[in-house]
Amino acid sequence: MLDTTALAELLFPHVTLTPADMEARFPVRELPEGAVVSRMAPSPTGFVHLGNLVQGLTSERMCHQSGGLLFLRVEDTDAKREVPGAVKTLIEGLKHYDINFDEGATIDGDAGNYGPYRQRQRVEIYHVYAKQLVLQGEAYPCFCTEEELADIHAKQEAEKANFGYFGKWAVWRDRSMEEIKEALDKGMPYVLRFRSTGSIENKIKFTDLIKGNLELTENDIDHVLLKSDGIPTYHFAHAVDDHLMRTTHVVRGDEWLPTLPFHLQLFRSLGFKPPKYLHIGPLMKMDGESKRKLSKRKDPELALTYYRAAGFPVQSVYEYLMTVLNSNFEDWRRANPDAPVDSFKFSHKKMNPAGSLFDEAKLRDVSKNVISRMSAERVYDEVVSFAKDYDEALYAHLTADPDYAKSILAIGRGGKKPRKDFAVWTDVKPYLDFFYDDWFTVTDAYPEQFRTADIKAALEGFKATFNEADDATVWFDKIKAVADSMGFASDMKAYKENPAAYGGSVADVSMFLRVAVTGRMNSPDMYSAMQILGKDRVFARIDAMLQKL
């Protein structure tokens, strides 16, 4: 029988602290009954994706609606995959999308009493529990080389056996103390493995808060707990951290479901109560007639940087993801068009266990609604912020005269039916470019069925009666009078009843003016546009058109 106490001292002579010391260092949090404590725990690989945001949003809502807290833990145990500057990119990306953490890793260090929040800085903590598992006989050193492991894999493949380090393939599982000492004396590197007592003949029952009741095959693999450099694997580190940081709920992608039996074994062996798990289905998209998972390689829309560069407001992405995550959000938004999104009661029970379909067209529709409810001041601030990074010319024009820019962006805002001109901030420039003389150009031609003489008559007639002091009603009445004077119908109902009786309608006269003043067939409200441009510029553009005709 192996002396586990002697083995523990042999492997971890430097570890003098105990699990009891760790419990004292990281006490149970004092929070209200039912408060959720959750975390985002991404790897610093430099790629922050939509799935991170979905998980973060789910965790954030559950935590903050319950009076709990959300923390950020950086899982940097895989040094080979770490990208320089990735932690900063990660933190800034999540902050941009309003995933606000109560504690955890920050760009400047750590904030909170349960750190360090970077796993590579917590090695001494993991070693306390690694030693404890060895003491309990539930972990052992394995000195297999890469070549030996490859040989085991090849033999399993030849025998059509399951892959992994288990059963007869776990060649270091039951070695004697003498053999272990001999290997250590030779300086052979080793990993620390978990001694699994599971069998693939057994099933475990488990209730996931999204997936419901599950039946999973028990884990029989002796997984690695500590790598040869003493750094823990994700599996071991997350079990220790989630306990000591007092995590109540773990939100993660359902690609982690196959490892859940091992994780539950770990919690049991460590003497920890496991957190509640929520495994989120993948984000999918239509590819022809079939659905497939969003792919980092194929789909640029998976990266969060895509939405920022495309000009989607944070609130639009946030609200769209709410429609993806909770099936009742759209009904709530229709009933509460002006309510802050935080007042919506998010529920994990409304999440689709199979995953959700990502639809960029739907995102754009949501975004139009979100932007339409913004004030002109907020639109201005957000567009300026976007343009500063992505459109220098637009930034220069908007900031040269903020009040002028805000007056343009105020057109059609407010009221029960606000205009929905923008889905993304890149829509703003083509919307307002005609308000700036250096950008103004006539892009639309007059329809060929109208006589040049009629177009000229309309433009000249309008100039003759235009007065900047007129309100919108008087202004339009004068356009109607111009239409009547030309034999065009000022009454649209009469025109529709007998169009052959007229040369055109007041709508056509308005179009003649619109093209001359804005350069296009479609534009923001013409009365408001003329008020902002002013009489001199309106007349200058009309005169330029008259010269061209």
Side-chain angles (χ1 to χ4, degrees), residues 387-423:
K388 186 175 184 180
D389 292 332
Y390 297 102
D391 191 331
E392 291 181 9
L394 180 60
Y395 178 78
H397 281 66
L398 295 180
T399 55
D401 188 343
D403 289 339
Y404 180 72
K406 289 176 188 177
S407 68
I408 299 168
L409 295 169
I411 296 174
R413 296 211 162 265
K416 291 184 177 179
K417 290 188 176 182
R419 288 180 62 91
K420 297 178 181 179
D421 297 292
F422 314 136

Side-chain angles (χ1 to χ4, degrees), residues 292-310:
R292 65 166 173 80
K293 286 175 64 173
L294 282 176
S295 157
K296 186 192 297 188
R297 185 170 53 85
K298 295 180 181 178
D299 305 309
E301 65 268 33
L302 186 60
L304 286 193
T305 50
Y306 171 84
Y307 301 94
R308 201 166 182 176

Side-chain angles (χ1 to χ4, degrees), residues 29 31-40 55-72 99-103 246-251 278 318 345-348:
R29 296 175 184 270
L31 291 169
E33 183 73 23
V36 172
V37 177
S38 192
R39 44 56 164 193
M40 281 196 71
Q55 292 167 34
L57 179 55
T58 302
S59 297
E60 187 274 333
R61 286 292 76 210
M62 290 175 64
C63 292
H64 293 153
Q65 284 182 171
S66 65
L69 61 86
L70 178 68
F71 64 89
L72 176 64
I99 305 298
N100 296 308
F101 298 97
D102 301 289
E103 66 183 43
R246 308 301 172 177
T247 306
T248 64
H249 292 67
V250 170
V251 180
L278 298 88
Y318 194 101
K345 187 66 176 174
F346 179 87
S347 173
H348 62 79

Side-chain angles (χ1 to χ4, degrees), residues 291-427:
K291 292 180 184 178
R292 65 166 173 80
K293 286 175 64 173
L294 282 176
S295 157
K296 186 192 297 188
R297 185 170 53 85
K298 295 180 181 178
D299 305 309
E301 65 268 33
L302 186 60
L304 286 193
T305 50
Y306 171 84
Y307 301 94
R308 201 166 182 176
F312 282 102
V314 166
Q315 189 181 341
S316 298
V317 177
Y318 194 101
E319 291 217 5
Y320 171 69
L321 290 180
M322 277 292 190
T323 71
V324 168
L325 292 172
N326 267 199
S327 54
N328 59 327
F329 178 79
E330 288 182 86
D331 290 340
W332 175 86
R333 175 50 83 198
R334 278 190 286 270
N336 304 275
D338 300 316
V341 69
D342 286 359
S343 62
F344 170 70
K345 187 66 176 174
F346 179 87
S347 173
H348 62 79
K349 295 176 182 177
K350 295 288 186 180
M351 297 176 73
N352 186 343
S356 304
L357 187 66
F358 176 79
D359 182 349
E360 189 164 343
K362 177 75 173 291
L363 168 59
R364 294 181 73 87
D365 285 342
V366 169
S367 192
K368 282 184 178 182
N369 288 328
V370 167
I371 294 174
S372 74
R373 297 194 299 267
M374 292 181 180
S375 67
E377 288 76 13
R378 181 171 174 188
V379 171
Y380 174 82
D381 289 343
E382 293 220 15
V383 176
V384 165
S385 176
F386 165 78
K388 186 175 184 180
D389 292 332
Y390 297 102
D391 191 331
E392 291 181 9
L394 180 60
Y395 178 78
H397 281 66
L398 295 180
T399 55
D401 188 343
D403 289 339
Y404 180 72
K406 289 176 188 177
S407 68
I408 299 168
L409 295 169
I411 296 174
R413 296 211 162 265
K416 291 184 177 179
K417 290 188 176 182
R419 288 180 62 91
K420 297 178 181 179
D421 297 292
F422 314 136
V424 288
W425 299 135
T426 49
D427 293 338

